[in-house]
Amino acid sequence: MTSTDQTRFPAGGVSAPPAGLRPTARPSARRAQTRRKWYEIVGLTTPALVVYVTFVLVPMGFAFYYSLFRWRGVGPPTEYVGFKNYTLAFQDPIFLDALRNNAIVVFGSLLIQGPIALGVALLLNRRFRGRSTFRLLAFVPYVLAEVTVGIMWKLILTGDGTVDVLLRAVGLGGLVQAWLADLDVVIWTLLFVLTWKYVGFAIILLLAGLSNVPDELTEAAAIDGASWWQIQRHITLPLLGPTIRIWMFLSMIGSLQVFDVVWVTSVPAVRSLGASATMATYMVDNGFFARLWGYGNAVAVILFVISFVAALLFQRFLLRRDIEGAITRRAN
Amino acid sequence: MTSALVAAGCSGGGDDEADTGSELYKNPVTLTWWHNASQDGPGKTYWEKVAKDFSAAHPTVKIEIEAIETNQLQRTRLPAALLSNDPPDIFQAWGGGEMREQVEADYLKDVTDQVKSEVADIGSAAEIWQVDGKQYGLPFRMGIEGVWYNKDMFAKAGISAPPTTFDELNTAVTKLKAINVIPIALGAGDKWPAAHWWYNFALRACSVDTLKKAATDRTFDDPCFVKAGQDLKAFIDTKPFQNNFIATPGQNDPTSANGLLANGRAAMELMGDWNRGTLDTVATDKAKLATFLGWFPVPAISGSAGDPKAALGGGDGFACSKKAPAECVEFLKYLVSPEVQKGYAATGTGLPVAKGAADGVTDPALKSILTATSEATYVQLWLDTAYGSTVGNAMNDAIVAIFAGNGSPEKVVAAMKAAASK
């Protein structure tokens, strides 16, 4: 892949200006304007496009190519096996466990983080003393690095960690668990840590959305005698719809690809037993640690396809109204 | 290039070096060296000193060290660097199945002719770094695995001598439970420390011939591999390990299995010779550790096919990449020279391989390993290394499942066979 190929690709549009544009000004001026517009488009997008193609599309192509080989990552791939790696993945109970865990994280995040974030955001949107402090506190976990959060919770949760000590102190010693090692408990522990980490992001996003709700509407409703709750229910929430849907979209994609926190927090043995594996950790465990590079690439492709399809479906059915203007309407 | 010409011009008079030797040390070279002594400690400091000494003796050679954590080094950094054709010059090499793959991909320098005297000095341990009779690396550390134990606890529990059979070990476990200590610490969280128990049962259940054959044909049809899992299951059922061993890391961490032993909470731990160094890094009281620490070989199982005097072991070695300059081989030779080996032995981080370096071993526990290593009739390389990481990983996962209570002896063998075909 040479860079000239990539730069020529968008430039190809120059010779084929969009049809259907009826010239309204003098033809030559119109053409000059069209050409200048295309130069601008090409000039402004080429750098981004080159980066995108080199670091996103090309590696994706390679991942798919490698996934068709039985390849240990030593020397070039030579043993073509077709789609065998894909069928192997869906026959591995640990991969199916990983899929199930990803589903738990996706739905768990949406169903737990959403209501919490909405409630907190509505509260924080009211004026009261110390509001910015609360906003800051809600956002702190999101700012921390994933690895930091993972190590922190690992220390809090493992053997005689803070949680166990607190539980015993309040007489709930019976609840003490191997939070990160019990095969039935660990995924729920991880879901809790992920919720703690990412709920701040949802809150900030919703607060931003709330600031776009015009005060006149709520004031008018208040004058008409609507209660706080009625205002939220009938004015604020509907206007917050686009923000909520965007957050759902980001949360879903993030949950499908979750890796860092799980990798750092969970124990290798528990992961390899399927209890805390996600598609991404399964990919690294098999690709690097078992040195099944072709197989690891197949898992990467599966993860990509699932995320891509989920994203497309979400856009098609839930985001359609929100992005209509951005995609279909011409700028002028 | 210029310096090469200058050097060639100056080498006219009275240089009695051989032809190949005359190229050595003439041009400035930088050797990149990747090793796995990543934790601050005697091991890391010692390698820094070794590199400095070598550069002082050979000013044209600059050595750039990267100390990388084992898993990262072995699983991601090194394969990627080799594949991208930009490998370090000299790097950690474990021998066994993985090295065979590296040789087949033409990544490693054949050093057979240059290291003949070193190989003779090291003896049979050097064979692990051979592929088809050719030498591709040299070990600097080699030792067998055994049980590290707390002598004080044994005395308190009324155990008069270290167990020599598994029946005696079971008795010892019962006695240790009676004085309320953890009989055996296990870091199953990292998988391999748990898997090593299975390896040892396999070593006791399988004949040496079976083990040798399995390392090359990878069929694992002999019923002894299932027997190993059955014996392991029976042993786990006696509950010799601490609670929650499935979440316990193996080493280098105060909460890990060797932390339990080092800080007087557990009585035993199965581990290789390097454990002396890692115990030191996690012990809160190193002086006290030195007073109670002992070592004994893995007990025998009466009436089984395996050789009771066979041991499981392995070492750490280095290899030069195909593209490395000739100075790399000289440095490799220097690393296993008696003077460097003696200094390495004195760090207490592992057992040296070169003859004469044994004097450097002062720790009593390490001394007993040295004796046991020389008395072992056969040393089997760690099975996950011997079978390569694909089989090794699947095998370890399936063994851990037995520990977690949802695996079976048959599933271990099935997983090994499936992985061999993946």
Side-chain angles (χ1 to χ4, degrees):
Chain A
M1 177 63 69
T2 66
S3 61
T4 47
D5 290 341
Q6 292 152 18
T7 47
R8 206 177 295 133
F9 164 60
V14 173
S15 56
L21 291 173
R22 291 272 151 255
T24 50
R26 282 183 299 122
S28 62
R30 179 74 217 189
R31 217 176 296 132
Q33 204 191 345
T34 311
R35 197 182 302 135
R36 210 188 67 210
K37 204 163 112 192
W38 272 101
Y39 282 141
E40 277 169 11
I41 292 175
V42 171
L44 291 173
T45 54
T46 302
L49 211 60
V50 168
V51 170
Y52 186 75
V53 168
T54 318
F55 294 107
V56 179
L57 291 183
V58 171
M60 260 162 47
F62 273 121
F64 178 69
Y65 174 72
Y66 291 144
S67 74
L68 304 175
F69 289 84
R70 178 179 190 253
W71 185 40
R72 301 286 169 86
V74 181
T78 49
E79 206 180 326
Y80 181 82
V81 292
F83 286 89
K84 188 185 163 208
N85 285 328
Y86 292 87
T87 49
L88 277 176
F90 285 102
Q91 284 162 9
D92 185 353
I94 307 296
F95 179 70
L96 300 178
D97 283 343
L99 274 177
R100 183 206 60 200
N101 291 340
N102 269 115
I104 290 177
V105 174
V106 168
F107 290 106
S109 297
L110 292 177
L111 297 177
I112 299 170
Q113 283 180 37
I116 295 177
L118 203 56
V120 174
L122 289 178
L123 285 176
L124 288 181
N125 201 37
R126 312 177 81 174
R127 291 177 210 291
F128 60 92
R129 276 172 66 90
R131 187 173 71 156
S132 50
T133 313
F134 280 105
R135 286 186 174 197
L136 186 70
L137 284 178
F139 201 49
V140 163
Y142 181 69
V143 178
L144 293 175
E146 269 88 352
V147 175
T148 315
V149 169
I151 291 174
M152 189 186 92
W153 278 102
K154 197 173 178 172
L155 292 173
I156 294 176
L157 290 165
T158 41
D160 288 335
T162 320
V163 169
D164 292 354
V165 171
L166 280 177
L167 282 177
R168 287 205 184 89
V170 297
L172 291 171
L175 286 179
V176 167
Q177 306 261 6
W179 300 105
L180 291 168
D182 190 303
L183 303 186
D184 298 324
V185 171
V186 61
I187 186 66
W188 304 107
T189 310
L190 287 173
L191 185 61
F192 168 79
V193 174
L194 290 168
T195 304
W196 181 88
K197 169 93 171 84
Y198 291 106
V199 75
F201 176 67
I203 292 171
I204 289 297
L205 214 58
L206 292 176
L207 279 172
L210 283 171
S211 69
N212 283 334
V213 176
D215 286 340
E216 305 90 79
L217 287 180
T218 49
E219 276 164 17
I223 290 167
D224 287 346
S227 68
W228 182 80
W229 174 246
Q230 280 172 325
I231 293 173
Q232 308 306 324
R233 172 72 187 80
H234 295 288
I235 296 173
T236 314
L237 274 183
L239 286 172
L240 209 51
T243 314
I244 294 175
R245 287 190 288 272
I246 283 287
W247 165 76
M248 284 172 74
F249 179 72
L250 294 174
S251 174
M252 181 185 73
I253 297 300
S255 302
L256 282 172
Q257 302 180 339
V258 63
F259 173 79
D260 325 44
V261 172
V262 178
W263 186 264
V264 173
T265 315
S266 69
V267 182
V270 175
R271 220 167 48 223
S272 71
L273 291 165
S276 63
T278 64
M279 280 188 281
T281 68
Y282 179 85
M283 171 182 81
V284 172
D285 268 323
N286 281 277
F288 286 122
F289 284 78
R291 293 212 312 139
L292 295 164
W293 287 37
Y295 184 71
N297 274 303
V299 176
V301 171
I302 295 172
L303 173 55
F304 168 74
V305 169
I306 290 176
S307 306
F308 192 66
V309 169
L312 280 183
L313 289 177
F314 198 90
Q315 281 205 342
R316 179 78 183 76
F317 292 108
L318 278 165
L319 284 182
R320 191 168 49 177
R321 261 186 314 164
D322 305 328
I323 57 178
E324 233 165 26
I327 289 180
T328 52
R329 199 188 308 146
R330 209 156 51 221
N332 54 355
Chain B
M1 205 31 99
T2 322
S3 59
L5 293 173
V6 172
C10 293
S11 66
D15 207 332
D16 55 4
E17 287 271 308
D19 270 341
T20 49
S22 67
E23 281 301 309
L24 275 174
Y25 308 126
K26 288 295 192 294
N27 305 325
V29 294
T30 302
L31 294 179
T32 43
W33 180 21
W34 288 7
H35 64 65
N36 71 341
S38 61
Q39 297 237 336
D40 283 320
K44 191 177 180 182
T45 322
Y46 185 63
W47 288 142
E48 277 160 16
K49 179 190 174 301
V50 168
K52 236 178 242 154
D53 289 352
F54 190 78
S55 289
H58 307 286
T60 54
V61 182
K62 211 178 126 208
I63 295 169
E64 274 175 11
I65 299 182
E66 257 196 84
I68 305 167
E69 186 271 327
T70 308
N71 267 326
Q72 243 189 65
L73 173 64
Q74 195 182 9
R75 298 284 168 246
T76 51
R77 293 286 305 276
L78 204 52
L82 289 168
L83 198 62
S84 68
N85 219 10
D86 184 24
D89 294 302
I90 178 165
F91 51 84
Q92 200 93 18
W94 282 269
E98 207 153 296
M99 187 170 202
R100 177 172 285 276
E101 287 177 347
Q102 291 172 350
V103 169
E104 280 163 5
D106 204 22
Y107 289 155
L108 305 184
K109 207 191 252 305
D110 177 358
V111 294
T112 316
D113 296 331
Q114 291 108 302
V115 299
K116 278 198 169 118
S117 67
E118 283 79 10
V119 168
D121 199 28
I122 292 166
S124 63
E127 281 172 28
I128 292 173
W129 283 263
Q130 283 172 6
V131 175
D132 299 331
K134 285 187 179 149
Q135 199 74 36
Y136 290 93
L138 291 174
F140 62 88
R141 180 195 77 72
M142 185 80 196
I144 62 168
E145 185 167 64
V147 181
W148 297 77
Y149 75 108
N150 185 322
K151 288 182 195 163
D152 294 351
M153 280 183 190
F154 268 44
K156 202 176 158 209
I159 304 160
S160 50
T164 55
T165 66
F166 260 89
D167 294 335
E168 288 175 27
L169 182 66
N170 290 338
T171 314
V173 165
T174 313
K175 285 181 177 170
L176 288 161
K177 278 185 189 163
I179 63 162
N180 229 351
V181 296
I182 298 162
I184 304 175
L186 173 68
D190 283 330
K191 301 196 270 191
W192 60 266
H196 277 207
W197 279 100
W198 187 92
Y199 301 173
N200 276 292
F201 282 111
L203 189 72
R204 295 287 174 252
C206 300
S207 71
V208 170
D209 286 341
T210 307
L211 291 169
K212 278 185 178 163
K213 202 169 121 320
T216 50
D217 68 12
R218 300 185 196 180
T219 48
F220 317 114
D221 281 328
D222 197 291
C224 69
F225 289 108
V226 176
K227 171 84 163 51
Q230 289 162 348
D231 288 347
L232 173 66
K233 220 164 176 260
F235 184 61
I236 296 171
D237 286 344
T238 66
K239 298 204 187 313
F241 308 113
Q242 81 276 15
N243 288 331
N244 201 15
F245 53 74
I246 219 77
T248 310
Q251 46 187 4
N252 295 344
D253 174 338
T255 65
S256 65
N258 68 1
L260 294 177
L261 176 69
N263 297 314
R265 292 187 55 203
M268 289 182 266
E269 189 196 9
L270 175 75
M271 198 52 70
D273 59 307
W274 66 83
N275 209 32
R276 188 66 192 86
T278 53
L279 283 169
D280 247 356
T281 59
V282 294
T284 47
D285 188 345
K286 282 179 197 166
K288 192 166 175 234
L289 171 71
T291 62
F292 70 64
L293 193 62
W295 185 92
F296 62 87
V298 174
I301 297 178
S302 36
S304 60
D307 181 344
K309 279 277 184 189
L312 197 69
D316 284 319
F318 291 116
C320 287
S321 72
K322 187 94 179 177
K323 292 163 68 179
E327 282 84 351
C328 181
V329 186
E330 297 306 306
F331 184 56
L332 181 65
K333 284 155 76 172
Y334 178 67
L335 284 171
V336 297
S337 65
E339 50 169 317
V340 172
Q341 281 271 291
K342 255 182 207 164
Y344 176 71
T347 64
T349 51
L351 287 177
V353 290
K355 280 199 186 83
D359 308 344
V361 181
T362 50
D363 183 83
L366 283 174
K367 270 189 175 164
S368 46
I369 301 182
L370 208 56
T371 317
T373 307
S374 62
E375 283 172 2
T377 47
Y378 173 67
V379 176
Q380 168 62 49
L381 178 64
W382 317 117
L383 296 185
D384 51 354
T385 314
Y387 300 160
S389 31
T390 304
V391 173
N393 206 64
M395 172 174 69
N396 289 0
D397 283 355
I399 295 168
V400 166
I402 295 186
F403 278 88
N406 58 5
S408 78
E410 292 77 16
K411 276 187 190 163
V412 175
V413 179
M416 290 162 77
K417 286 181 177 172
S421 71
K422 256 187 192 172

